[in-house]
Amino acid sequence: MNVFAISFSIKFDTTYDERYDSLMSAIRMCDRLWDETTSFCLVGTNETLGMLEHRLYMTQFSPHRDKLLIMDVGFDRAVARGNISYPATLKGLMPNCDVKQANALAGY
């Protein structure tokens, strides 16, 4: 079983509740879950990092308003998605983090 740390920020606006609930529902589908802190979860799943990232991204997550970071706790790998304000800082701390910025042409 793979163990991942998931950190996220959902921008507060008119669809905040729907996006938050959608993302948390997808996170809760993992086999094991620790979610006692705000906007941070540890999960155990048989999914790969890429599979988990794609499944969470396909929720109501908005890459232009929200932020999502998934870290493989067992290895030096991570994926960050969305409107990341300081990608160079994140890459400086986690050089193997794949930072996927929102596409400016893709709408919301």
Side-chain angles (χ1 to χ4, degrees):
M1 179 173 294
N2 299 310
V3 178
F4 300 104
I6 302 168
S7 179
F8 60 92
S9 174
I10 304 296
K11 181 178 179 174
F12 188 77
D13 59 15
T14 58
T15 62
Y16 170 87
D17 289 334
E18 291 87 5
R19 294 191 332 272
Y20 179 88
D21 291 344
S22 175
L23 183 60
M24 283 305 299
S25 291
I27 290 171
R28 288 185 180 115
M29 292 173 62
C30 292
D31 300 321
R32 298 179 67 193
L33 171 69
W34 180 82
D35 63 349
E36 292 184 46
T37 59
T38 305
S39 304
F40 178 87
C41 302
L42 285 175
V43 301
T45 179
N46 289 321
E47 295 170 289
T48 65
L49 176 64
M51 291 165 57
L52 178 61
E53 178 263 333
H54 179 74
R55 186 167 62 80
L56 299 183
Y57 180 70
M58 296 309 294
T59 64
Q60 293 181 36
F61 176 83
S62 171
H64 295 283
R65 295 180 278 181
D66 307 329
K67 296 174 173 70
L68 174 64
L69 174 66
I70 305 167
M71 298 168 279
D72 188 326
V73 176
F75 298 94
D76 185 22
R77 299 179 300 163
V79 176
R81 268 276 193 184
N83 185 15
I84 308 299
S85 298
Y86 305 104
T89 302
L90 181 57
K91 290 285 286 181
L93 291 167
M94 301 181 74
N96 293 325
C97 182
D98 184 8
V99 179
K100 297 181 178 183
Q101 289 289 73
N103 182 344
L105 303 175
Y108 100 50

